[in-house]
Amino acid sequence: MTVSARDFGRDEEVRVELLTKSKTWVPIGVLDLDLSRNNQVAVDAFRYRAAEGMMLCAAGAELRFRSTLESENRLRRTVATKRILERKSVYPDLIDFFKASSSAEPTSAPFGSTAEHIAKQYALNESQTNAFLTVCTSKPLGLLQGPPGTGKTKFIAALIHYLLTHGVIRNVLLASQSNEAVNNATEGVLRLFRSGDSEPSLVRVGQEGQISETLKPYHSAKVEAHYREQFRAGLKQRFRSAAQHIGLTVEFSDDLFLMESTVWPVWNQLQSTLTHNDEQEHEETHSRVTSLQQTLFNLQQKLQMRSGQEVNWYSAEAYEDAIALLLKKHAITSAEQVRKLRGVAGLARDWMGSVTSRARSFEEFLANTRQIVAGTCVGLGRSSLGLSTARFDLVIIDEAARCTPSELAVPMQAGKWILLVGDHLQLEPFHQPEVIRETQRRLQVPKREIIQSDFERAFASPYGRQVGQTLDVQYRMLFNIGELVSRAFYRRSLRHGRAEPMIPASALPEELKHQLLWHATDRFGSKAYQKVAGQSGMSLCNSTEANAIADLLRRLDNHQPFLEWLATFDSEQKAIGIICTYGAQSELIRQKLRAIGLSPMMLNSCKVDTVDSYQGKENPIVILSLVRHNDDGKMEAGQKTIAPGFMSRANRINVALSRAMDRLIIVGAFQRWPNGGTMDRVTSFYQEMMEEGFAHLVEATAEIETTDHTEKRKAAPKKTWKGKSFHARKR
């Protein structure tokens, strides 16, 4: 999907478009916001004449979402960026902290607690506590790097809880690049408040389908509905009081209340349906009209307005005709009294109907009155929130290193004090390739300068070197996995805080007794090479690796102790993650897993996705399919190397390797990666750890298809490659 975060508003219509083989985008339907979730996209294809049961797009197809408000949202991001550049944001000089040449200095702020108290209250480790103190005493911009599994979410929750409960700030805006990160951080805050038997003043904005069950009671629409119900609950009694004050009976008041609060909205909807009748949707419209008319007839019966004639609800004067019948029923003759009471009803109806209008936004009211406002950077850019005029004592942006400058600008513009939390050594901001090329052409700047995040710029600036903090104890990965990540990407700086495995050793088969395992496909030669795939022809797949992964999972599915453990694991969390460096490989593996007859429990325990979709996620077992395997690279030591493509980007490989908790199994080529590149660094450290006994390498087993696809042969049994002998061969 070519969209940074699926977070659309209720007043948006989002068209779904498909990239065809001719490289053109064609509409296939409209996004159903109510049915869409984090892991599924629901498309209403009715107006595009899709036949029932017809497949809208093939597996692996590329989709694009085009909102009716896209240009407006883009304009708001542009306005937010311009506001910061012109020094008109809540903190005027924000731009200075992102310049390498800036001499901006942090402002020291007092702090009312000790390190010992903070560490004890929130169970923080030393690096988290030091970062906590630095962030609280250095303004206006705090910078926190959180490598994988180092407790960024816990840190954010502790900071918000402390600052609010100690009266340091009045309100906080919590934003992130993804809904999942917003949900996790906000739930962390909620748990801390509830642990002290209190409830925070909180609103979560965004598309309801993207919000966790825990936070749905705090969703802006739910809060609004609660306000509506409270208002409606007392409205009938207030209406009676007004009627009695005017001199009308309670019986007439109750009937008129039913007319104004129930009959009028249904009749108004009927008139709107009749006015906007679309011939292409004739059948659906006719059904709706019939249903609305029946509802009105039933309401008329309930009101017992029988004067020998029925109201013609299709008529433009139908509602006033019904009011006249009601007056006859109660023998009301004073038009002025009725006019006054109907005026009261109109005011109430207008309030009920206008709180979510774009002119008068209830979300904006919540954003200005709640202690905690949480949403994605894209979602917070909606006009209904009015962030251009809001002011927050603190703005925290998680996953800041993944945000584009305009995404960062939307929440940053509203903050007097800002904390950016991220990791520039993980995934970078997403930019369309054509945008990068055009920017390079116009500005004549290196590509690296364009794709670099503002978080990294600030962190590397003179200011960032003063205030920037890095968390250095990771709790996700067991030692061997975490150590590979530490050596390859963090200059051996990470420490490891978890030693107890999630999966008991007795539940795992012999081949998975090692935490770190590489299934090498090198010996298959060109038969294990990548192939061009995907509808756009821009993706890659590797059937050898897919077969090897399928074989591994089939063996695991036959190991009863593992299945017994799997039965105790939360299936929603997914015990096994299969990460692919290309989207087409994800789809190929899904097809393989469906075809090989895995048990339902095993199949349901597997999550298959791409690296780009995996930041912030984790699984007890991760299988990484490298996909990239070719002889298209430069010559080194008398042989062609692998052209690495995206595999040359350390950020992506870092994310791919750091999702595993108990077991990491890498499937793909181990040899011939170009010297000095990311994968060469990974394999070199892997060899180093093999010699230390922390990593293991085996030859992959897989069914290899011959070029004519007429026969298959099974690879030879696995054989462990000893570290020293392989080391000599590689060099």
Side-chain angles (χ1 to χ4, degrees):
M1 299 178 294
T2 56
V3 64
S4 57
R6 285 195 295 115
D7 201 353
F8 302 108
R10 286 175 292 168
D11 52 353
E12 295 182 67
E13 179 175 284
V14 184
R15 189 168 66 180
V16 182
E17 298 178 348
L18 171 71
L19 182 64
T20 66
K21 291 181 179 179
S22 60
K23 303 294 190 295
T24 58
W25 292 97
V26 296
I28 61 171
V30 174
L31 184 67
D32 189 319
L33 294 172
D34 293 328
L35 295 180
S36 294
R37 297 290 182 268
N38 274 326
N39 59 350
Q40 69 179 28
V41 174
V43 180
D44 179 0
F46 180 82
R47 72 177 63 180
Y48 291 92
R49 314 305 297 164
E52 186 175 352
M54 186 182 97
M55 186 169 68
L56 293 179
C57 59
E62 187 172 353
L63 300 179
R64 179 171 73 179
F65 299 136
R66 300 291 295 262
S67 166
T68 53
L69 302 181
E70 186 173 308
S71 59
E72 180 182 327
N73 291 338
R74 189 183 303 116
L75 175 63
R76 293 198 173 275
R77 293 197 295 271
T78 301
V79 168
T81 303
K82 188 176 180 182
R83 191 179 174 204
I84 291 174
L85 292 175
E86 293 179 349
R87 302 179 187 272
K88 294 178 180 178
S89 52
V90 171
Y91 187 87
D93 298 326
L94 263 181
I95 187 63
D96 293 339
F97 301 99
F98 296 89
K99 296 178 180 177
S101 59
S102 174
S103 58
E105 293 282 334
T107 301
S108 181
F111 186 66
S113 296
T114 64
E116 293 76 14
H117 173 74
I118 294 298
K120 183 177 180 181
Q121 182 177 359
Y122 296 109
L124 302 181
N125 62 42
E126 184 181 3
S127 71
Q128 290 171 329
T129 303
N130 291 338
F132 196 104
L133 296 177
T134 301
V135 166
C136 288
T137 56
S138 303
K139 296 182 179 180
L141 178 67
L143 297 164
L144 178 67
Q145 181 190 11
T150 51
K152 298 187 296 292
T153 300
K154 179 179 182 179
F155 180 94
I156 291 170
L159 183 68
I160 291 175
H161 182 266
Y162 176 86
L163 295 175
L164 285 174
T165 56
H166 285 74
V168 180
I169 60 173
R170 292 175 298 106
N171 60 355
V172 59
L173 177 63
L174 175 57
S176 181
Q177 205 267 348
S178 73
N179 278 292
E180 190 168 10
V182 175
N183 289 340
N184 290 340
T186 311
E187 286 177 16
V189 177
L190 192 57
R191 282 192 297 272
L192 280 178
F193 271 91
R194 287 177 173 175
S195 67
D197 296 323
S198 62
E199 197 74 12
S201 172
L202 164 68
V203 63
R204 170 70 164 93
V205 299
Q207 183 186 336
E208 189 172 359
Q210 306 293 327
I211 295 171
S212 66
E213 290 299 320
T214 303
L215 296 178
K216 280 189 176 174
Y218 301 92
H219 182 234
S220 53
K222 296 286 187 184
V223 177
E224 177 190 324
H226 177 67
Y227 270 84
R228 281 172 172 267
E229 286 307 312
Q230 281 189 320
F231 182 78
R232 187 180 282 114
L235 187 58
K236 188 173 183 179
Q237 186 57 47
R238 294 188 182 97
F239 201 71
R240 281 181 172 182
S241 298
Q244 289 176 313
H245 181 76
I246 292 170
L248 295 169
T249 67
V250 169
E251 291 76 17
F252 175 72
S253 167
D254 289 350
D255 278 357
L256 185 61
F257 182 80
L258 181 63
M259 284 288 295
E260 294 285 348
S261 65
T262 306
V263 175
W264 188 90
V266 176
W267 175 76
N268 196 46
Q269 201 170 8
L270 174 64
Q271 293 300 306
S272 177
T273 304
L274 292 170
T275 304
H276 298 94
N277 187 9
D278 188 339
E279 291 184 6
Q280 291 185 339
E281 301 177 9
H282 176 73
E283 189 174 326
E284 183 181 351
T285 301
H286 177 73
S287 174
R288 183 159 185 75
V289 165
T290 302
S291 174
L292 290 169
Q293 190 204 20
Q294 185 61 47
T295 300
L296 289 167
F297 176 77
N298 292 340
L299 288 170
Q300 183 179 346
Q301 295 296 104
K302 183 177 180 179
L303 286 164
Q304 298 178 348
M305 296 186 300
R306 300 186 183 93
S307 62
Q309 65 179 47
E310 295 295 337
V311 176
N312 176 17
W313 292 108
Y314 293 114
S315 166
E317 291 78 33
Y319 188 72
E320 291 304 320
D321 292 344
I323 290 289
L325 289 178
L326 189 68
L327 296 180
K328 283 184 180 180
K329 172 187 172 182
H330 291 277
I332 302 294
T333 57
S334 173
E336 181 62 17
Q337 288 178 312
V338 174
R339 185 190 66 79
K340 289 180 180 179
L341 191 57
R342 289 184 69 185
V344 172
L347 285 173
R349 190 171 61 236
D350 288 345
W351 186 90
M352 295 284 286
S354 69
V355 289
T356 55
S357 71
R358 296 181 67 193
R360 180 185 173 193
S361 171
F362 195 78
E363 279 191 331
E364 185 174 355
F365 164 74
L366 292 175
N368 282 283
T369 57
R370 287 297 189 265
Q371 284 182 302
I372 305 166
V373 180
T376 64
C377 296
V378 172
L380 291 171
R382 297 204 304 270
S383 59
S384 59
L385 280 171
L387 278 196
S388 59
T389 58
R391 298 174 69 89
F392 289 89
D393 290 344
L394 174 63
V395 170
I396 299 178
I397 307 175
D398 192 12
E399 290 188 331
R402 289 202 69 184
C403 295
T404 63
S406 65
E407 287 173 342
L408 273 184
V410 171
M412 279 205 309
Q413 67 175 323
K416 292 191 279 185
W417 176 22
I418 294 153
L419 172 62
L420 302 184
V421 182
D423 184 9
H424 49 282
L425 299 181
Q426 295 189 65
L427 293 179
E428 301 158 324
F430 172 77
H431 299 282
Q432 293 285 1
E434 56 268 26
V435 173
I436 295 174
R437 288 193 295 271
E438 182 63 16
T439 305
Q440 279 185 281
R441 187 187 68 81
R442 290 190 187 185
L443 301 182
Q444 297 296 301
V445 294
K447 179 180 178 181
R448 172 65 187 147
E449 183 71 16
I450 298 169
I451 64 176
Q452 184 183 34
S453 69
D454 278 350
F455 175 86
E456 183 175 0
R457 270 184 249 278
F459 204 82
S461 71
Y463 177 88
R465 289 194 288 273
Q466 292 184 68
V467 305
Q469 295 289 302
T470 300
L471 306 180
D472 64 9
V473 182
Q474 69 83 19
Y475 299 92
R476 174 183 297 154
M477 301 164 276
L478 289 179
F479 176 86
N480 297 5
I481 306 167
E483 189 61 15
L484 175 63
V485 172
S486 179
R487 295 184 190 187
F489 305 106
Y490 294 96
R491 300 181 180 180
R492 303 176 185 261
S493 64
L494 293 184
R495 293 178 289 158
H496 313 292
R498 184 171 74 91
E500 191 67 29
M502 293 186 66
I503 310 173
S506 59
L508 292 167
E510 180 67 18
E511 66 177 306
L512 291 186
K513 67 180 180 180
H514 304 298
Q515 297 174 17
L516 201 50
L517 188 64
W518 197 307
H519 284 234
T521 59
D522 302 85
R523 74 186 189 87
F524 296 129
S526 61
K527 291 175 181 175
Y529 282 6
Q530 70 207 38
K531 293 178 182 177
V532 175
Q535 188 172 0
S536 64
M538 300 292 287
S539 192
L540 299 175
C541 69
N542 191 310
S543 58
T544 300
E545 294 180 19
N547 288 335
I549 291 168
D551 284 352
L552 173 61
L553 291 173
R554 190 158 41 194
R555 294 193 297 273
L556 197 54
D557 198 20
N558 290 327
H559 190 69
Q560 190 59 34
F562 181 76
L563 295 181
E564 291 172 2
W565 172 81
L566 206 56
T568 68
F569 190 75
D570 182 2
S571 60
E572 292 297 315
Q573 300 300 314
K574 305 297 182 185
I576 303 170
I578 303 168
I579 303 178
C580 306
T581 54
Y582 287 86
Q585 182 74 350
S586 300
E587 186 52 40
L588 175 61
I589 290 175
R590 289 190 193 101
Q591 292 173 1
K592 293 277 185 187
L593 299 191
R594 289 193 293 265
I596 63 175
L598 293 177
S599 67
M601 184 166 62
M602 174 62 80
L603 196 59
N604 190 50
S605 297
C606 294
K607 173 182 174 63
V608 186
D609 218 330
T610 61
V611 177
D612 297 319
S613 302
Y614 237 93
Q615 183 158 319
K617 299 178 176 66
E618 61 187 19
N619 304 99
I621 298 174
V622 164
I623 304 171
L624 170 62
S625 178
L626 297 178
V627 183
R628 200 89 189 177
H629 196 177
N630 56 64
D631 58 5
D632 300 329
K634 59 185 178 181
M635 291 290 294
E636 286 182 5
Q639 62 179 348
K640 281 289 193 75
T641 59
I642 297 173
F646 288 135
M647 305 288 285
S648 64
R649 288 162 57 182
N651 306 64
R652 300 180 86 239
I653 306 305
N654 182 10
V655 170
L657 297 178
S658 59
R659 304 303 99 191
M661 304 170 77
D662 277 21
R663 295 293 183 270
L664 173 62
I665 302 131
I666 304 169
V667 180
F670 190 78
Q671 303 180 72
R672 297 191 304 107
W673 294 102
N675 285 333
T678 298
M679 288 304 299
D680 177 61
R681 186 165 75 248
V682 170
T683 55
S684 294
F685 282 121
Y686 198 94
Q687 275 186 230
E688 180 180 281
M689 293 181 65
M690 283 168 58
E691 294 169 0
E692 296 168 357
F694 295 133
H696 298 268
L697 186 73
V698 299
E699 292 177 345
T701 61
E703 288 188 342
I704 306 299
E705 296 183 6
T706 60
T707 54
D708 63 3
H709 302 282
T710 58
E711 64 174 290
K712 295 180 181 180
R713 65 179 177 84
K714 193 72 173 181
K718 286 187 289 185
K719 179 179 70 175
T720 301
W721 290 352
K722 303 297 183 183
K724 290 185 179 178
S725 62
F726 188 77
H727 177 83
R729 204 179 334 174
K730 184 172 188 287
R731 295 301 178 199

